[in-house]
Structures are given as C-alpha cells and as structure tokens.
Amino acid sequence: ENEELDIIDVKIIKLKENQVSKLYKDSLNKFPQIKNEVLNYMTENPSIIMIIDGKDAIRKGRNIRGL
C-alpha cells in the first residue's frame, strides 16, 4: 500500500515497564484493570520501533497497522 511515507530509522528493542507506562499512560489510567496484562505483554518480547516521515505520518501509520 503506497502511503507516501519515508522510513527514517528502524530498531528492535526490548521495552521496559517505565517506557510502556509512559507510552500508554492515558489508556492505562482509563482502563486500570488491564494495566498488568498490557505491561507484561509489551515487555515480554522485543518490539520494532520505527521513525516515519511524511504528510499525516501518524494517521497513515496507524491506518497501516489497523488502528
């Protein structure tokens, strides 16, 4: 799918609990009953982190991921 985005950088990292808590702060506060499950899931395996550039990059990136 051509979304006219440029991939600037890609890394594979193992997220730490404090990083996940910061990234998902609003959601974790809104749904505290799933906090531990989300933290465990997100810190269990490495994650692919990308920096993308382009017009509406955030919206397009979310659309590509199905969010």
Side-chain angles (χ1 to χ4, degrees), residues 5-11 48-54 57-58:
L5 299 173
D6 294 317
I7 298 173
I8 306 300
D9 196 12
V10 177
K11 291 183 181 181
I48 298 172
I49 307 300
M50 296 186 350
I51 299 173
I52 56 174
D53 185 40
I58 294 172

Side-chain angles (χ1 to χ4, degrees), residues 1-41:
E1 188 172 337
N2 184 4
E3 290 287 346
E4 299 178 5
L5 299 173
D6 294 317
I7 298 173
I8 306 300
D9 196 12
V10 177
K11 291 183 181 181
I12 298 174
I13 66 169
K14 186 123 162 101
L15 292 168
K16 297 177 182 166
E17 277 194 25
N18 64 331
Q19 292 170 311
V20 175
S21 293
K22 187 175 179 180
L23 285 169
Y24 295 99
K25 179 182 176 183
D26 293 337
S27 296
L28 294 176
N29 287 335
K30 188 174 182 180
F31 303 103
Q33 67 275 20
I34 64 167
K35 181 177 182 175
N36 288 335
E37 192 173 332
V38 170
L39 290 174
N40 289 335
Y41 177 77

Side-chain angles (χ1 to χ4, degrees), residues 45-63:
N45 294 301
S47 296
I48 298 172
I49 307 300
M50 296 186 350
I51 299 173
I52 56 174
D53 185 40
K55 185 175 181 178
D56 296 321
I58 294 172
R59 182 188 58 78
K60 289 177 181 178
R62 288 178 177 160
N63 186 47

